[in-house]
Amino acid sequence: MNDTGVIYFLIALAATTIGAVPLGLVNLSVVDTALKNGSQKATAIAHGASVVEVIFALSSLVAGAWFSEFFEGNPMVRYFVFAVLLVFGLFFWFKKNQGKLKKEQGKSVGFLKGALLNIVSIQVLLFWLLAATVLSAKQLLPSSLPEILFFLAGVWLAKMAILKIYAFLALRVVSRAHKLSSNINRVIGLVLMTVAVIQLIKI
């Protein structure tokens, strides 16, 4: 790994961490799955979400200007984000907490679930468009193929790390708080609906 590659790798790590830490559909789904099916199933979701994260980052690098113009000129995108968050929030709020599922999901199902949740989380793509704009202004965007590959590797690693930390905290912290664990679906639903309201206020 050359010095330039290290720089873009670290930039990607920092940018992805900033975007991945805030609670969202994928993070909360990882927490929910970790509590009910264990860390292995949660990791499958993390893999799917991380692949989509890399695609979003690459799309922003390659066609950031076009995407940015489309989203900024289309207020319906933000209404879509609000609707998705609200629907998932209501879904979790009314979903019964059944504890560990009797029929555990396969890795492929978990992977597809993680990918789908990150795809519908349009705010993730919006974050990458903003990140690409900021990096471009500071002349920190990767340009050559090796630089882009290092950058995308940093994106994938950071996303996976953050989601695995969420799963770890769910198993080590949330699972020990019985009241919180038994009402995890309502907690997730409340968080998502709160984020939806914040998104609506921004429109």
Side-chain angles (χ1 to χ4, degrees):
M1 184 182 294
N2 56 44
D3 292 340
T4 305
V6 172
I7 292 174
Y8 287 111
F9 180 79
L10 294 176
I11 290 174
L13 284 177
T16 307
T17 299
I18 293 172
V21 168
L23 291 173
L25 289 177
V26 176
N27 309 57
L28 294 174
S29 181
V30 165
V31 170
D32 184 53
T33 302
L35 287 172
K36 295 175 181 177
N37 284 331
S39 60
Q40 186 175 3
K41 303 300 179 183
T43 299
I45 293 177
H47 277 294
S50 298
V51 169
V52 172
E53 191 86 12
V54 168
I55 294 174
F56 279 166
L58 180 61
S59 299
S60 298
L61 294 178
V62 175
W66 183 88
F67 277 117
S68 183
E69 183 178 350
F70 173 77
F71 284 115
E72 288 178 2
N74 190 354
M76 292 304 296
V77 172
R78 295 191 178 276
Y79 283 108
F80 175 76
V81 173
F82 163 74
V84 169
L85 291 172
L86 182 62
V87 168
F88 274 93
L90 291 172
F91 169 77
F92 275 105
W93 179 266
F94 291 107
K95 180 183 177 183
K96 292 183 179 180
N97 190 38
Q98 299 175 331
K100 186 177 179 66
L101 300 180
K102 293 181 179 180
K103 184 178 180 180
E104 296 189 350
Q105 298 175 335
K107 290 183 179 180
S108 60
V109 175
F111 180 91
L112 291 175
K113 180 179 180 181
L116 178 62
L117 288 176
N118 218 23
I119 288 174
V120 299
S121 300
I122 301 299
Q123 70 270 21
V124 178
L125 178 56
L126 294 176
F127 166 79
W128 277 111
L129 290 173
L130 176 62
T133 300
V134 173
L135 293 175
S136 177
K138 296 182 178 296
Q139 297 183 341
L140 292 175
L141 280 182
S143 55
S144 66
L145 180 59
E147 292 173 351
I148 292 176
L149 292 177
F150 280 122
F151 187 89
L152 296 180
V155 171
W156 185 88
L157 181 62
K159 185 71 172 184
M160 280 296 300
I162 294 298
L163 293 179
K164 287 182 76 68
I165 288 173
Y166 265 97
F168 174 83
L169 292 177
L171 292 172
R172 295 295 183 273
V173 180
V174 179
S175 62
R176 296 182 181 180
H178 178 71
K179 188 173 182 180
L180 179 61
S181 181
S182 61
N183 291 284
I184 186 63
N185 287 335
R186 289 204 165 189
V187 172
I188 292 174
L190 181 60
V191 170
L192 290 176
M193 286 187 285
T194 301
V195 175
V197 171
I198 295 174
Q199 181 65 39
L200 182 62
I201 294 174
K202 289 181 178 180
I203 295 176

